[in-house]
Each structure stands twice: as structure tokens, then as C-alpha cells.
Amino acid sequence: MSLAKWTAGLLAGMSILALAAPADAGEVRVTVAEYSAKTGPYFEAVKKEFEAANPGITIKYEVVPWDVLLQKLTTDITAGTNADLSIIGTRWLIDFVQQDVAEPLDSYIKPEFKDRFIDTFLQPSIMNGHTYGLPIAASARAMYYNKELFEKAGIAKPPATWTELQEDARKIKAVGAFGFGLQGKEIETDVYYYYAMWSQGTEILNKDGTSGLSTPGALEAAKLYKSMIDEGLTEPGVTSNNREDVQNLFKQGKVGMMITAPFLSNQIKEEAPNLKYGVAAIPAGPTGARGTYGVTDSIIMFKNSKNKDEAWKLLDFLFTKEQRAKFTQGEGFLPVNKEEAKMDYYVNNADLAAFTALLPDARFAPVIPGWEEIAQITSDAMQKIYLGGDPEAGLKDAAAKANAVLKK
């Protein structure tokens, strides 16, 4: 759904926002984003434990797949039937705040509660001096590599630069595997391009607030990926493969290198326990620049909730060290709770340490109106380039479209 349609839908629904479906006394309804097969069972366990400790409060969940979550929330908000709490992509929060449907949490947040959080992950939910959400999930991106393919291809260590990555991809191709797994479809297709773009010293937005897609660095990044596709260093049919498709190829031992999130480590342990792999930094560009994508998803309270105090009690419970550890470790995310981060599980986990080391270079999605539309413009442009389109013309057109959104 386009941002324009979404915003129009929200505006149309504002007059009936106050007419939310009557809530049962003490009932807290929660819209939960489905991260994996473990998400539903985790929240059901929370329900049992929380209700036992809080007589008179009942929890009702609706677990929704990510690819339809925004549309589901838009529909519910417009109809006034939204839940009390919902997990959202933090990048959507600015639109919820601007439409005045998100409840500020400042009156509930005490200093000791705020101190539970690693500030890097709490900051994206703070807007105009108010905290509108809490980081329910946090992640970054790093490069996974197949150690057996590296050994077979005579590669001693993971590449430090994109030039080295190309050279290594050629060696891996020569031993019968795909050198570099490149995503070209659906969520984070734009982000996969930013890794190369950031390494060129280019940002998503220029300092003057315009799109960075028309810069020389953006063009070099697009040429890099296109050249790897043209040379057969990636998997075939890049634009037919989303993140999960590329991850599956990696788990099958068919891809030498790919960039993705910490949760792949958990999947490998469960689905491909014999796969020998490592995790390294995303390669740097010619001047040493590099960047990873920092991601948070937030849980927010809606302004029209009839059971705000009960909803806050659930939030307080969800963000205890014990509950965070169960959720984070089950889903394969990074800790957002300071005390949780000190646990042996994280301190002694080499995979997670590689992601944590990249956090100083993390970029988050820009907190601007229209971001989802701009991200889609970028993804569409990259798909055309991957399919053989001219990188310079494609990026110039995308930058013009993005700038039109930015001027609204």
C-alpha cells in the first residue's frame, strides 16, 4: 500500500477513531507481528504467566504476518477497531505520530524503566521529545560466509573490501557455487543496495535533504552489483529472490557469501547444523567507509485504547530482563535491555559479537514522512537495473521520484 493511500485512509478514519470497539474491562488486545514459528508460542506463554500474576487482566493476541501488517493496522485504525497495543516497524512510527493515533508513553516511563534500555535502540522511537514506542526487536546486518566453500576455493579469510569480495566470488564460482547471494525482491531490497552505497561514502539523504540516489557513490554501488550479476557471480534470477530465498540458498551450501541479520544463525543451527559458516563485517569501500543497517521494531500503545493502565502493565512485564531474553534468544535478535546484554549467551556468542561490533556504523531508516514510498522507489529502480537497465538513467529517475516525495 502506498503511503499516500495509507495517510488518506488514516485521515478518513480519524472521525471514527474514538469509536473503537468496546473493550472488555481488564482486557488488553495486542497485534503481534509474526517473526517466526516461535513468535505465537512465546506470546501465548507470556499470556499464561502474566495473567497468573495479574488477576483481572486478560490478554488477547492476534498474530499477523509482516507482509500484511501495515495494511491490517491501516484498516483497523480506519474502522476504529485497532488493538490496545501493536508491534510496528519503527520506520512507520512518524506517520502514526503525525496522525495522532499513537499514545505518548512518557507519563508511564519512570527513570528506572528507561534505564533498562540500550539507548541506541530506544532513540528511534523518540520523536518531538516524546517516547511513542519501545524497541521490541533490534537487529543489524553482517556478512555470512561459507567456510567450506572458502577452503575449497583457496580463500584464507573473509573479504575486507568489495573489490576483494568480487575476487572471492569469482573463486567460489570456479568451484561450482554462487559467489555472492544478492536479494532483489520484496522487503529490504533497497537496504541490500545501501550496503554498497554506504561503502562509497554516500548516504540515503544528502545533507540538504535531497535523495542521495543521484550521487556518484550511488552509481558506483549500482554498477558494482550489476557487474556481479552480469559476470554470473550471484545466484541466477536475482529479482526473483527475496531475503528468505537467498538465506535458504546459503543454508543449502550453495552460496559463498551473503548479508543478513542475526536470526540466520539460529536458523542454521536448527535447519543446517552441519553447515560451517562464519560472520564478518560488511566489506568497506575504496576510502574505508562501510555501513550496516540498524533495525528496530517497536511496540506502541494506541491513543484510543480503553485499558491503557493494563496495557502498560503488560509492556512493563514484556521488558523485564527475563522476558526479553526469552524473546530475543528465541527469535535471534540483538538485546535491547542492558542487563540482558551482559548475559553469557551474548558475551560468549561469536556470531552476535560480530553484529554488535558493527553497531557504531549502523544507519537506521530515515525518520521522515514518506519513507516507505521512497524505499519502494529505490527497490523498483534496483530491480530494473538488475534486469539489465542502465544504472545511471535508473538512479536519476529514482532520485527525481524520491525528491518529489521529499518535497511533499
PDB file of all heavy atoms in Angstrom, residues 31-48:
ATOM      1  N   THR A  31      -1.809  -6.627  18.774  1.00  0.00           N
ATOM      2  CA  THR A  31      -1.497  -7.093  17.421  1.00  0.00           C
ATOM      3  C   THR A  31      -0.011  -7.419  17.388  1.00  0.00           C
ATOM      4  O   THR A  31       0.833  -6.548  17.633  1.00  0.00           O
ATOM      5  CB  THR A  31      -1.831  -6.017  16.368  1.00  0.00           C
ATOM      6  OG1 THR A  31      -3.222  -5.703  16.459  1.00  0.00           O
ATOM      7  CG2 THR A  31      -1.520  -6.524  14.968  1.00  0.00           C
ATOM      8  N   VAL A  32       0.295  -8.677  17.129  1.00  0.00           N
ATOM      9  CA  VAL A  32       1.672  -9.175  17.185  1.00  0.00           C
ATOM     10  C   VAL A  32       2.176  -9.475  15.774  1.00  0.00           C
ATOM     11  O   VAL A  32       1.515 -10.172  15.008  1.00  0.00           O
ATOM     12  CB  VAL A  32       1.751 -10.456  18.048  1.00  0.00           C
ATOM     13  CG1 VAL A  32       3.132 -11.090  17.952  1.00  0.00           C
ATOM     14  CG2 VAL A  32       1.415 -10.141  19.502  1.00  0.00           C
ATOM     15  N   ALA A  33       3.328  -8.936  15.431  1.00  0.00           N
ATOM     16  CA  ALA A  33       3.956  -9.254  14.148  1.00  0.00           C
ATOM     17  C   ALA A  33       4.608 -10.623  14.243  1.00  0.00           C
ATOM     18  O   ALA A  33       5.280 -10.938  15.231  1.00  0.00           O
ATOM     19  CB  ALA A  33       5.006  -8.201  13.804  1.00  0.00           C
ATOM     20  N   GLU A  34       4.406 -11.436  13.229  1.00  0.00           N
ATOM     21  CA  GLU A  34       4.955 -12.795  13.247  1.00  0.00           C
ATOM     22  C   GLU A  34       6.376 -12.800  12.689  1.00  0.00           C
ATOM     23  O   GLU A  34       6.604 -12.562  11.511  1.00  0.00           O
ATOM     24  CB  GLU A  34       4.070 -13.722  12.416  1.00  0.00           C
ATOM     25  CG  GLU A  34       4.500 -15.176  12.490  1.00  0.00           C
ATOM     26  CD  GLU A  34       3.536 -16.095  11.767  1.00  0.00           C
ATOM     27  OE1 GLU A  34       3.060 -15.714  10.671  1.00  0.00           O
ATOM     28  OE2 GLU A  34       3.246 -17.177  12.295  1.00  0.00           O
ATOM     29  N   TYR A  35       7.335 -13.087  13.560  1.00  0.00           N
ATOM     30  CA  TYR A  35       8.731 -13.148  13.149  1.00  0.00           C
ATOM     31  C   TYR A  35       9.119 -14.554  12.679  1.00  0.00           C
ATOM     32  O   TYR A  35       9.906 -14.723  11.759  1.00  0.00           O
ATOM     33  CB  TYR A  35       9.639 -12.733  14.304  1.00  0.00           C
ATOM     34  CG  TYR A  35       9.536 -11.273  14.655  1.00  0.00           C
ATOM     35  CD1 TYR A  35       8.711 -10.845  15.697  1.00  0.00           C
ATOM     36  CD2 TYR A  35      10.236 -10.318  13.934  1.00  0.00           C
ATOM     37  CE1 TYR A  35       8.602  -9.492  16.018  1.00  0.00           C
ATOM     38  CE2 TYR A  35      10.137  -8.968  14.247  1.00  0.00           C
ATOM     39  CZ  TYR A  35       9.319  -8.564  15.282  1.00  0.00           C
ATOM     40  OH  TYR A  35       9.200  -7.233  15.586  1.00  0.00           O
ATOM     41  N   SER A  36       8.589 -15.548  13.365  1.00  0.00           N
ATOM     42  CA  SER A  36       8.931 -16.934  13.043  1.00  0.00           C
ATOM     43  C   SER A  36       7.865 -17.833  13.660  1.00  0.00           C
ATOM     44  O   SER A  36       6.903 -17.354  14.270  1.00  0.00           O
ATOM     45  CB  SER A  36      10.308 -17.292  13.629  1.00  0.00           C
ATOM     46  OG  SER A  36      10.221 -17.416  15.046  1.00  0.00           O
ATOM     47  N   ALA A  37       8.072 -19.139  13.535  1.00  0.00           N
ATOM     48  CA  ALA A  37       7.133 -20.097  14.134  1.00  0.00           C
ATOM     49  C   ALA A  37       7.177 -20.027  15.653  1.00  0.00           C
ATOM     50  O   ALA A  37       6.286 -20.552  16.332  1.00  0.00           O
ATOM     51  CB  ALA A  37       7.480 -21.510  13.662  1.00  0.00           C
ATOM     52  N   LYS A  38       8.183 -19.341  16.200  1.00  0.00           N
ATOM     53  CA  LYS A  38       8.309 -19.243  17.661  1.00  0.00           C
ATOM     54  C   LYS A  38       7.547 -18.060  18.252  1.00  0.00           C
ATOM     55  O   LYS A  38       7.350 -17.984  19.461  1.00  0.00           O
ATOM     56  CB  LYS A  38       9.796 -19.124  18.038  1.00  0.00           C
ATOM     57  CG  LYS A  38      10.619 -20.358  17.692  1.00  0.00           C
ATOM     58  CD  LYS A  38      12.060 -20.181  18.121  1.00  0.00           C
ATOM     59  CE  LYS A  38      12.872 -21.433  17.822  1.00  0.00           C
ATOM     60  NZ  LYS A  38      14.280 -21.281  18.244  1.00  0.00           N
ATOM     61  N   THR A  39       7.130 -17.131  17.401  1.00  0.00           N
ATOM     62  CA  THR A  39       6.502 -15.900  17.902  1.00  0.00           C
ATOM     63  C   THR A  39       5.204 -16.175  18.657  1.00  0.00           C
ATOM     64  O   THR A  39       5.030 -15.729  19.801  1.00  0.00           O
ATOM     65  CB  THR A  39       6.222 -14.925  16.739  1.00  0.00           C
ATOM     66  OG1 THR A  39       7.419 -14.728  15.987  1.00  0.00           O
ATOM     67  CG2 THR A  39       5.728 -13.588  17.269  1.00  0.00           C
ATOM     68  N   GLY A  40       4.279 -16.888  18.016  1.00  0.00           N
ATOM     69  CA  GLY A  40       2.994 -17.181  18.650  1.00  0.00           C
ATOM     70  C   GLY A  40       3.139 -17.914  19.969  1.00  0.00           C
ATOM     71  O   GLY A  40       2.576 -17.488  20.997  1.00  0.00           O
ATOM     72  N   PRO A  41       3.903 -19.023  20.008  1.00  0.00           N
ATOM     73  CA  PRO A  41       4.090 -19.739  21.271  1.00  0.00           C
ATOM     74  C   PRO A  41       4.705 -18.885  22.374  1.00  0.00           C
ATOM     75  O   PRO A  41       4.337 -19.021  23.550  1.00  0.00           O
ATOM     76  CB  PRO A  41       5.030 -20.890  20.876  1.00  0.00           C
ATOM     77  CG  PRO A  41       4.719 -21.145  19.437  1.00  0.00           C
ATOM     78  CD  PRO A  41       4.431 -19.784  18.862  1.00  0.00           C
ATOM     79  N   TYR A  42       5.654 -17.992  22.009  1.00  0.00           N
ATOM     80  CA  TYR A  42       6.241 -17.117  23.037  1.00  0.00           C
ATOM     81  C   TYR A  42       5.160 -16.247  23.671  1.00  0.00           C
ATOM     82  O   TYR A  42       5.061 -16.150  24.901  1.00  0.00           O
ATOM     83  CB  TYR A  42       7.349 -16.227  22.451  1.00  0.00           C
ATOM     84  CG  TYR A  42       7.694 -15.093  23.396  1.00  0.00           C
ATOM     85  CD1 TYR A  42       8.459 -15.322  24.524  1.00  0.00           C
ATOM     86  CD2 TYR A  42       7.184 -13.805  23.195  1.00  0.00           C
ATOM     87  CE1 TYR A  42       8.731 -14.303  25.431  1.00  0.00           C
ATOM     88  CE2 TYR A  42       7.446 -12.781  24.088  1.00  0.00           C
ATOM     89  CZ  TYR A  42       8.217 -13.039  25.206  1.00  0.00           C
ATOM     90  OH  TYR A  42       8.463 -12.036  26.114  1.00  0.00           O
ATOM     91  N   PHE A  43       4.359 -15.594  22.854  1.00  0.00           N
ATOM     92  CA  PHE A  43       3.348 -14.690  23.397  1.00  0.00           C
ATOM     93  C   PHE A  43       2.236 -15.436  24.133  1.00  0.00           C
ATOM     94  O   PHE A  43       1.654 -14.900  25.079  1.00  0.00           O
ATOM     95  CB  PHE A  43       2.795 -13.787  22.299  1.00  0.00           C
ATOM     96  CG  PHE A  43       3.687 -12.612  22.002  1.00  0.00           C
ATOM     97  CD1 PHE A  43       4.573 -12.647  20.932  1.00  0.00           C
ATOM     98  CD2 PHE A  43       3.676 -11.491  22.816  1.00  0.00           C
ATOM     99  CE1 PHE A  43       5.419 -11.569  20.679  1.00  0.00           C
ATOM    100  CE2 PHE A  43       4.516 -10.412  22.579  1.00  0.00           C
ATOM    101  CZ  PHE A  43       5.402 -10.452  21.497  1.00  0.00           C
ATOM    102  N   GLU A  44       1.960 -16.656  23.746  1.00  0.00           N
ATOM    103  CA  GLU A  44       0.985 -17.457  24.496  1.00  0.00           C
ATOM    104  C   GLU A  44       1.529 -17.781  25.885  1.00  0.00           C
ATOM    105  O   GLU A  44       0.790 -17.791  26.880  1.00  0.00           O
ATOM    106  CB  GLU A  44       0.643 -18.740  23.734  1.00  0.00           C
ATOM    107  CG  GLU A  44      -0.300 -18.522  22.566  1.00  0.00           C
ATOM    108  CD  GLU A  44      -1.607 -17.843  22.986  1.00  0.00           C
ATOM    109  OE1 GLU A  44      -2.169 -18.198  24.044  1.00  0.00           O
ATOM    110  OE2 GLU A  44      -2.055 -16.938  22.255  1.00  0.00           O
ATOM    111  N   ALA A  45       2.838 -18.053  25.968  1.00  0.00           N
ATOM    112  CA  ALA A  45       3.467 -18.299  27.275  1.00  0.00           C
ATOM    113  C   ALA A  45       3.434 -17.037  28.134  1.00  0.00           C
ATOM    114  O   ALA A  45       3.195 -17.104  29.346  1.00  0.00           O
ATOM    115  CB  ALA A  45       4.908 -18.782  27.079  1.00  0.00           C
ATOM    116  N   VAL A  46       3.644 -15.881  27.501  1.00  0.00           N
ATOM    117  CA  VAL A  46       3.545 -14.607  28.210  1.00  0.00           C
ATOM    118  C   VAL A  46       2.141 -14.423  28.778  1.00  0.00           C
ATOM    119  O   VAL A  46       1.963 -14.022  29.938  1.00  0.00           O
ATOM    120  CB  VAL A  46       3.893 -13.421  27.278  1.00  0.00           C
ATOM    121  CG1 VAL A  46       3.469 -12.091  27.907  1.00  0.00           C
ATOM    122  CG2 VAL A  46       5.382 -13.398  26.983  1.00  0.00           C
ATOM    123  N   LYS A  47       1.143 -14.706  27.968  1.00  0.00           N
ATOM    124  CA  LYS A  47      -0.259 -14.575  28.389  1.00  0.00           C
ATOM    125  C   LYS A  47      -0.516 -15.386  29.654  1.00  0.00           C
ATOM    126  O   LYS A  47      -1.074 -14.875  30.628  1.00  0.00           O
ATOM    127  CB  LYS A  47      -1.174 -15.050  27.262  1.00  0.00           C
ATOM    128  CG  LYS A  47      -2.657 -15.191  27.627  1.00  0.00           C
ATOM    129  CD  LYS A  47      -3.445 -15.719  26.434  1.00  0.00           C
ATOM    130  CE  LYS A  47      -4.842 -16.168  26.832  1.00  0.00           C
ATOM    131  NZ  LYS A  47      -5.705 -15.048  27.244  1.00  0.00           N
ATOM    132  N   LYS A  48      -0.078 -16.635  29.647  1.00  0.00           N
ATOM    133  CA  LYS A  48      -0.313 -17.514  30.786  1.00  0.00           C
ATOM    134  C   LYS A  48       0.381 -16.985  32.048  1.00  0.00           C
ATOM    135  O   LYS A  48      -0.215 -16.913  33.126  1.00  0.00           O
ATOM    136  CB  LYS A  48       0.192 -18.923  30.446  1.00  0.00           C
ATOM    137  CG  LYS A  48      -0.173 -19.985  31.463  1.00  0.00           C
ATOM    138  CD  LYS A  48       0.317 -21.362  31.032  1.00  0.00           C
ATOM    139  CE  LYS A  48      -0.423 -21.858  29.802  1.00  0.00           C
ATOM    140  NZ  LYS A  48      -0.051 -23.266  29.458  1.00  0.00           N
TER     141      LYS A  48
END
